Amino acid sequence: VIIYKNISHLFTLLPMKERSLKNAATLEDCGYIPDASVWVDDSGTISWLGPSSALKPLPPHAQVIACQGETWIPGLIDGHTHMVFGGQRSLEMMQKRSGVSYLNIAKQGGGILSTVQMTRETSRDELFDLACQRVETSIRQGIKHLEIKSGYGLSFKTELMLLKIIRDLKLQFEDRVGISTTCLAAHAFPKDVSSDTYLKMVTEELIPEVASLRLAEFCDVFVEQNFFSVSQARNVLEAARHNGLKLKAHVDECTSLGGIGLAVELGAVSVDHCIAIQPSDVKVLANSNTTAVLLPMTSFVLQEGYAPAKNMIESGVRVALASDFNPGSSPSQNLWLAAQIGMIQYGLSPYQVLSALTYNAACSLAKEQKLGMIEVGMPAQQVTRLAYGDWQEMFYWIGQPIPVVEGKI
Ligand code: NIG
Ligand code: FE
């Protein structure tokens, strides 16, 4: 066994599960143990954890590792990224600064479709290499699980290629970071075919193929003006559900069209963005088991408003936070910075942010049985170790490099 001793601050997040909390409100809700110790057996499984004062006598051959000055949290999860794409859209950053809206940039030929074009012009190998570098960047921040969406192919062939790239990433990184895959073929309508033809292809050919090849666990759709209407989104999500995929939806990013009602009706695991959410939809979400994944970096970049996170939490909506890393609305993988922007701009407490990055992020991927907390019986790999002697430093050093402690864990 290896005994990690005198961990200054340990957050198990276990009360979230034990007491079915929707969000953490206190230090206690985060399962906080000061001066903690953790036993890890030879198979790498956590076999005991608790306050150092309750430590049993150490077995004779135990290896002891002193962890003073460390803060341990459940393995960080970035539950919403669009990591596989070619090219970049730096011009849009300037257009946004001179007041052009996200939807108008898209209308003028920028936006998602311009990345689709650049992605189609990039070779499979180069797309894979770019994505590998991005996964490494996430790992350096202490991220232990990533969700990655397709959505810049927008044809039968290229969407499958992107999903296969994600499958290869999953194999390549399996010892270091978990990956959940989402098919977002319904990200936009491509220019080269009619919307009816595309919708038919996605629902009748692509989704069944993705499901039978087990290339994705989730199906997502962008419900927005000039993108997918609620009824088109219903077609996509119903086809996905029929084929055994779990559901997600990009909703109310710019406009509230009714995507939340649809997603909740169909039992979606998450609705993402919720910037323009209506008060009635806050209630709908609060009465559901669907997690709201809020994306503060996107709000920071677009400057078109922030989701009413505090109100949503107070109303009983489960809230997770993610980076939304993509080449347009969130060209940043810095999940910590996103979370810190969330804390400051949404007015959230560190407890709410911590649960949003761990247990609730696991809920947004239907993985709360396995991820998002620290408990006996789970792989020690699923822990993020940070060299912070004061846990508040997690929310203090804004956008600074993250002192992730490397080790067997
Ligand atoms: O979550 N809104 C749709 N998808 C992304 C943006 C994609 C892009 O602009 O390339 C988002 O914000
Ligand atoms: Fe997104």
Side-chain angles (χ1 to χ4, degrees):
V1 290
I2 302 180
I3 291 145
Y4 295 87
K5 226 179 143 211
N6 302 116
I7 303 157
S8 297
H9 311 278
L10 173 70
F11 292 88
T12 67
L13 272 293
L14 265 182
M16 298 292 295
K17 181 176 161 185
E18 290 166 351
R19 293 196 267 125
S20 307
L21 303 175
K22 281 231 170 157
N23 299 278
T26 62
L27 197 56
E28 201 198 341
D29 291 348
C30 293
Y32 177 63
I33 308 175
D35 188 5
S37 291
V38 172
W39 290 46
V40 177
D41 70 19
D42 294 333
S43 70
T45 304
I46 295 181
S47 55
W48 184 87
L49 66 84
S52 299
S53 59
L55 205 54
K56 301 175 282 186
L58 305 187
H61 300 296
Q63 182 189 350
V64 178
I65 297 178
C67 297
Q68 273 105 343
E70 289 189 29
T71 297
W72 286 30
I73 59 174
L76 269 182
I77 298 170
D78 191 350
H80 182 141
T81 82
H82 307 247
M83 245 184 218
V84 191
F85 61 86
Q88 52 88 13
R89 283 154 47 199
S90 52
L91 179 67
E92 285 180 22
M93 186 58 89
M94 311 305 139
Q95 293 173 314
K96 277 170 212 139
R97 304 288 72 80
S98 44
V100 191
S101 73
Y102 181 67
L103 292 181
N104 279 329
I105 289 172
K107 268 196 207 152
Q108 292 166 18
I112 296 168
L113 290 183
S114 65
T115 295
V116 169
Q117 169 130 20
M118 291 184 273
T119 302
R120 289 179 180 178
E121 286 163 2
T122 308
S123 72
R124 191 227 165 264
D125 286 353
E126 195 181 337
L127 288 170
F128 180 73
D129 287 347
L130 285 166
C132 282
Q133 290 167 32
R134 293 171 186 149
V135 173
E136 292 283 358
T137 300
S138 290
I139 291 173
R140 279 197 295 276
Q141 304 174 32
I143 290 171
K144 298 281 180 160
H145 196 93
L146 275 171
E147 184 258 16
I148 308 182
K149 302 174 197 295
S150 68
Y152 293 115
L154 305 192
S155 72
F156 184 80
K157 234 178 79 195
T158 50
E159 281 296 313
L160 280 181
M161 178 185 75
L162 298 180
L163 291 168
K164 286 178 183 166
I165 289 176
I166 304 172
R167 177 198 57 198
D168 293 349
L169 291 169
K170 200 169 164 160
L171 292 174
Q172 172 103 353
F173 287 97
E174 111 193 296
D175 301 333
R176 300 165 64 204
V177 68
I179 293 178
S180 295
T181 311
T182 300
C183 173
L184 180 54
H187 198 189
F189 285 105
K191 283 191 203 140
D192 39 9
V193 295
S194 77
S195 30
D196 284 349
T197 309
Y198 187 67
L199 207 55
K200 209 162 158 5
M201 186 283 285
V202 169
T203 53
E204 293 174 15
E205 294 170 46
L206 183 63
I207 289 175
E209 180 78 353
V210 166
S212 80
L213 296 175
R214 298 184 176 280
L215 282 173
E217 183 180 355
F218 302 96
C219 179
D220 196 343
V221 55
F222 185 21
V223 187
E224 185 56 68
Q225 244 178 59
N226 306 331
F227 290 85
F228 288 76
S229 68
V230 170
S231 84
Q232 290 167 328
R234 177 184 288 279
N235 285 347
V236 172
L237 295 178
E238 281 181 347
R241 191 169 67 165
H242 178 74
N243 282 278
L245 299 177
K246 298 182 193 100
L247 311 182
K248 294 179 159 286
H250 281 65
V251 297
D252 297 16
E253 180 173 359
C254 306
T255 332
S256 178
L257 297 180
I260 293 180
L262 173 71
V264 169
E265 178 200 324
L266 298 179
V269 288
S270 77
V271 286
D272 303 43
H273 283 295
C274 304
I275 295 174
I277 189 171
Q278 300 293 318
S280 56
D281 280 336
V282 174
K283 289 211 190 77
V284 169
L285 271 182
N287 290 321
S288 77
N289 196 32
T290 301
T291 301
V293 177
L294 305 184
L295 307 159
M297 183 62 79
T298 308
S299 284
F300 182 63
V301 171
L302 296 184
Q303 291 290 307
E304 294 177 39
Y306 283 83
K310 205 172 160 172
N311 171 270
M312 291 169 77
I313 288 176
E314 281 163 5
S315 307
V317 177
R318 186 189 300 113
V319 167
L321 296 175
S323 72
D324 195 21
F325 175 55
N326 74 73
S329 63
S330 181
S332 170
Q333 282 179 257
N334 195 330
L335 180 61
W336 283 104
L337 180 57
Q340 291 159 345
I341 292 173
M343 180 182 74
I344 295 171
Q345 296 286 340
Y346 293 147
L348 301 185
S349 72
Y351 317 117
Q352 290 165 337
V353 173
L354 200 54
S355 57
L357 291 173
T358 57
Y359 188 74
N360 287 358
C363 292
S364 79
L365 297 173
K367 295 197 168 57
E368 68 274 19
Q369 299 303 328
K370 281 190 245 160
L371 305 177
M373 70 232 152
I374 302 179
E375 71 178 340
V376 169
M378 63 168 259
Q381 239 297 102
Q382 285 302 332
V383 168
T384 294
R385 286 169 72 178
L386 303 165
Y388 287 134
D390 188 336
W391 66 264
Q392 275 106 329
E393 287 178 278
M394 289 190 281
F395 306 102
Y396 165 67
W397 300 110
I398 305 289
Q400 291 288 82
I402 308 303
V404 175
V405 179
E406 305 291 344
K408 278 196 187 148
I409 291 185

